């Protein structure tokens, strides 16, 4: 450890150098939900000292935040009827949308209709455009008529096979990584401490403690621990995405029942000029991005513990895209002929395709984001597939909880 | 290849030595469904020449047949309502039961009630014992009353948490490996040819062809190919369990959409004297076996392509049981306190627990067995989780199809 500069100077990359060994709240992970939580906490409870710890940079280029579709929509909220909180989620979605549109300063946020196409009505859904469904349900329209307004539908899809459509005209596109960056910057401006390139480990101790490992890269390109510091906290919030549950399990020995799935985002090189809607068929979303489309495949279920992502084969040729997604795409090629052409980039090996682990609350791809307290003083904040639409509201809910008068330090 | 005995002598382990390079039907895989198919074919169409090829021995000790629970029951047929063939499956189950009880000579087949316990009625099920359900539905009974007849229920389960029960009194236990062995022996007695320790590869050729690789073990314990022979066939039936779809894909380049899941069978060392029923809770089946219980965990969904089975951790200690199953068992410990004690054998590494790949038709654990013809002259016979109850009927259906007057050799 020779030649090390003083801890305060080295560690506090952003914000004021700190010497404290004790904080009111430590947030592990500065993805969009962790960063937003930090910002909300600074606003709601500026008297609480706050430390954000992030293993990567800001935004973290290996996390799910940077690859998340950033598609706000309420079109699939009705599928969460089993959560029996439909109205509440609807409100939280609207609140999240307002925040995205205004609360994070200069940030891309563009309304973009989401059109979901169907071969036949979903079971349990009303068929007629004027159906007597609850307010959350969106009526069906004729996809052929919709194609007059959005001619790109004819270029992408076989509308004879997909005669029905539902549109979320309130849907919007944004960049979750920008949310993370802007929220963290604002939180720091409001007095939060932020450590980047620092790995956090939770400690078995009387009272919440976190061991901070400052990482550095050697001249042989190995990532090593440069310095270790232990910090006490009244509350530790783990907001590390799919890495959150293992962090709690390894550190505290508590068992969580959350899952994760490896999500890949292949590109479809067809033009998407401004005004192009997002299109969804059978759970596969085509998101306009950088003048083309990013495909967001449907997550069917969690991947088993120990699964290493693996590419598949398409008619004998290795692909970077995993087999399960390839099968879904092949099944959709009749309905979406655009997928069958040379424009779909399936890659040759796994590294050709952007991909990330997406957390699945209780292993369920339909579950909304959640926060919970698996051990005293330890909170787990999880987003998952609906984080684009509901994540900020759940982070705000946790911030409100933490800003209540805190119990004395254990 | 020096010192090799003549092919006819080496290859025909069972049955008559054969020199033919052409058969009417070649069956790849002599698990219970492949062996039963061969037997049915010999009975229905003795004029057809028949060759069975099996990579392992008889029974194959690495396949799913030897580990399959061998629990015949119609209790979960109603869950297949989506297949809209309820009555047909019910008939086929009864036919399979008659075959198991009588058609394979001396074979253990013992009636053993299956009792399924519930915390509350299944959605869509009638609650009352006299409910006006279709005939396939089994009424609910009080589990406390049932425990007078089957006191083991109190030893295994917390009946206060599981007040309802449904009983399949027609259920029966048998050994799928015995079915495979007896059926193959009878088929050979009726004139079928059988090659053991022979790997089959399908060939791209004009007309169905199969490349037979006779395997042998070197004195350094490597399995090598000793001799290769190509055989033509009018029909090739792939009945190789979870290995069937890859065989077709690699050999013919056709893509199938079937899946597989790695199933483990942990042991519960509580006594199960004769007369002990099989018990099922939340899809976990406790099967009386060898004086104790074998657990048959619920299969939630397929495992992704490329998944290597991995053990889990229980409160920090490595287990042979995979994490997903451990989680299910932990969730059931309140309802089934027997799981919480020292009697559950979770192993320390994967090799401690018997396990096998179970094929899943179209990736769906609820799908019944099926046969299909993915390429001309090539048939795929798949069992999966319902093979115990329906497998023989589907094998018989394929045998009937193949015994129709065949088209001339291509």
């Amino acid at each position: 450890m020779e030649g090390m500069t003083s801890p305060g100077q080295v560690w506090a990359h952003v914000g004021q150098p700190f010497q404290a060994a004790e904080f009111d709240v430590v947030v592990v992970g500065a993805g969009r939900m962790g960063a937003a939580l930090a910002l909300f906490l600074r606003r709601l409870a500026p008297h609480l000292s706050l430390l954000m710890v992030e293993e990567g940079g800001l935004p973290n280029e290996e996390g799910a935040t940077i690859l998340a579709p950033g598609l706000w929509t309420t079109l699939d909220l009705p599928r969460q009827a089993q959560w029996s909180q439909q109205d509440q989620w609807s409100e939280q979605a609207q609140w999240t949308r307002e925040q995205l549109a205004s609360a994070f300063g200069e940030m891309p946020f563009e309304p973009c209709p989401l059109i979901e196409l169907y071969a036949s009505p979903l079971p349990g859904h009303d068929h007629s455009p004027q159906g007597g469904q609850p307010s959350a349900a969106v009526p069906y329209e004729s996809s052929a008529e919709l194609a007059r307004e959005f001619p790109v539908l004819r270029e992408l899809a076989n509308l004879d096979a997909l005669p029905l459509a539902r549109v979320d005209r309130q849907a919007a596109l944004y960049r979750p990584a920008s949310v993370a960056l802007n929220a963290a910057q604002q939180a720091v401006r409001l007095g939060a401490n932020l450590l980047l390139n620092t790995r956090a480990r939770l400690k078995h101790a009387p009272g919440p403690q976190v061991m901070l490992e400052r990482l550095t890269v050697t001249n042989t390109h190995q990532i090593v621990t440069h310095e270790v510091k232990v910090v006490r906290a009244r509350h530790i919030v783990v907001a590390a995405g799919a890495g959150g549950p293992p962090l709690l399990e390894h550190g505290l020995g508590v068992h969580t029942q959350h899952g994760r799935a490896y999500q890949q985002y292949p590109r479809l090189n067809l033009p998407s000029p401004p005004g192009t809607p997002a299109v969804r068929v059978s759970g596969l979303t085509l998101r306009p991005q950088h003048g083309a489309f990013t495909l967001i495949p449907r997550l069917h279920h969690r991947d088993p513990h120990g699964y290493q992502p693996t590419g598949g084969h398409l008619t004998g040729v290795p692909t970077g895209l995993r087999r399960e997604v390839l099968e879904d795409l092949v099944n959709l090629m009749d309905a979406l002929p655009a997928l069958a052409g040379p424009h779909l980039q399936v890659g040759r090996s796994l590294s050709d395709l952007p991909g990330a682990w997406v957390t699945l609350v209780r292993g369920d791809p339909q579950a909304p984001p959640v926060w919970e307290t698996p051990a005293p003083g330890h909170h787990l904040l999880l987003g998952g597939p609906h984080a684009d639409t509901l994540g900020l509201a759940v982070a705000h809910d946790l911030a409100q909880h933490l800003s209540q008068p805190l119990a004395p330090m254990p």
Side-chain angles (χ1 to χ4, degrees), chain A:
Chain A
M1 295 274 171
E2 224 181 297
M4 214 172 56
T5 51
S6 83
Q9 299 299 321
V10 173
W11 287 49
H13 277 234
V14 186
Q16 298 303 311
F18 75 90
Q19 306 291 347
E22 198 174 311
F23 290 88
D24 289 313
V25 181
V26 173
V27 180
V28 177
R32 61 177 144 175
M33 284 178 75
L37 169 78
L39 173 57
F40 296 145
L41 261 182
R42 291 312 301 158
R43 287 187 188 153
L44 290 168
H47 59 283
L48 297 181
S49 62
L50 178 65
L51 171 65
M52 282 185 276
V53 183
E54 167 57 50
E55 185 165 340
L58 198 65
N60 179 342
E61 295 188 14
E62 285 174 27
T65 291
I66 206 164
L67 291 175
L71 171 59
W72 183 97
T73 174
T74 54
L75 202 54
D76 42 7
L77 286 187
R79 296 195 194 154
Q80 301 166 359
Q82 72 247 48
W83 304 103
S84 67
Q85 295 177 308
Q86 192 48 52
D87 287 347
Q88 182 202 325
W89 290 123
S90 191
E91 264 174 45
Q92 300 211 345
Q94 293 301 334
W95 186 88
T96 298
R97 192 179 196 279
E98 286 159 26
Q99 296 294 310
L100 291 170
S102 61
F104 297 94
E106 282 295 310
M107 205 188 75
F109 181 82
E110 13 162 351
C112 166
L114 170 66
I115 301 175
E116 188 154 2
L117 300 172
Y118 308 87
S120 56
L122 297 176
H125 270 243
D126 194 308
H127 304 191
S128 71
Q130 289 82 26
Q133 283 284 305
S135 60
V138 177
Y140 287 98
E141 305 180 26
S142 149
S143 55
E145 275 184 36
L146 212 57
R148 284 183 215 155
E149 187 182 350
F150 301 104
V152 73
L153 290 183
R154 290 213 178 276
E155 288 164 41
L156 296 171
N158 172 5
L159 298 186
D160 294 336
L162 300 166
L164 293 176
R166 294 196 309 150
V167 189
D168 180 359
R169 290 181 188 271
Q170 236 205 330
L173 299 179
Y174 67 101
R175 288 186 52 217
S178 299
V179 173
L181 182 63
N182 288 354
Q185 284 174 341
Q186 284 190 50
V188 167
R189 245 177 263 133
L190 293 175
N193 294 280
L194 170 62
L195 291 181
L196 295 177
N197 304 116
T198 304
R199 188 188 288 146
R201 292 187 194 279
L202 307 185
K203 279 194 66 168
H204 259 302
Q209 294 192 8
V210 58
M211 194 164 80
L212 301 174
E213 301 179 357
R214 162 117 177 97
L215 304 176
T216 191
V217 178
T218 67
N219 52 13
T220 56
H221 303 288
Q222 281 182 299
I223 294 176
V224 296
T225 299
H226 183 69
E227 189 188 354
V228 174
K229 185 164 184 167
V230 174
V231 162
R232 299 178 70 200
R234 288 177 195 243
H235 290 271
I236 295 173
V237 178
V238 176
L247 197 65
L248 276 158
E249 292 185 19
H250 294 164
L252 306 181
V254 298
H255 190 87
T256 74
Q257 301 222 338
H258 302 294
R260 61 178 197 165
Y262 189 73
Q263 175 80 296
Q264 293 178 307
Y265 304 91
R267 194 174 160 83
L268 181 68
N269 275 331
L270 285 175
S272 69
T276 303
V279 176
R280 187 178 285 170
V281 178
S282 283
L284 171 76
T285 308
L286 287 72
R287 180 213 198 276
Q289 194 159 36
H290 308 308
F293 290 92
T294 298
L295 301 192
I296 303 141
R298 179 174 171 185
L299 290 175
H300 291 275
H301 45 68
R302 68 195 274 182
D303 285 321
H305 174 70
Y307 168 64
Q308 297 287 335
T310 316
H313 282 83
L314 193 60
T315 59
V317 181
T319 66
L321 201 58
R322 49 187 292 185
R323 181 185 169 110
E324 296 76 29
V325 176
L326 267 182
E327 286 185 1
D328 284 350
L329 296 187
V330 168
N331 284 340
L332 282 170
M333 281 179 182
D334 285 341
L336 287 172
L339 298 178
H343 308 292
L344 178 65
Q345 309 289 302
V346 295
R348 293 203 178 175
S349 77
L350 206 66
S351 55
D352 292 341
L353 285 177
W357 287 101
V358 175
T359 194
L360 299 182
V361 173
R362 289 182 300 282
D364 179 357
Q366 296 301 323
V370 78
W371 70 264
E372 60 189 23
T373 304
H378 292 86
H379 310 279
L380 180 61
L381 183 58
L382 290 174
H386 289 288
D388 281 344
T389 303
L390 298 165
L392 294 185
V394 174
H396 190 258
D397 190 56
L398 176 54
Q400 276 185 317
H401 174 82
L402 294 178
S403 62
Q404 307 300 316
L406 293 171
M409 192 82 171

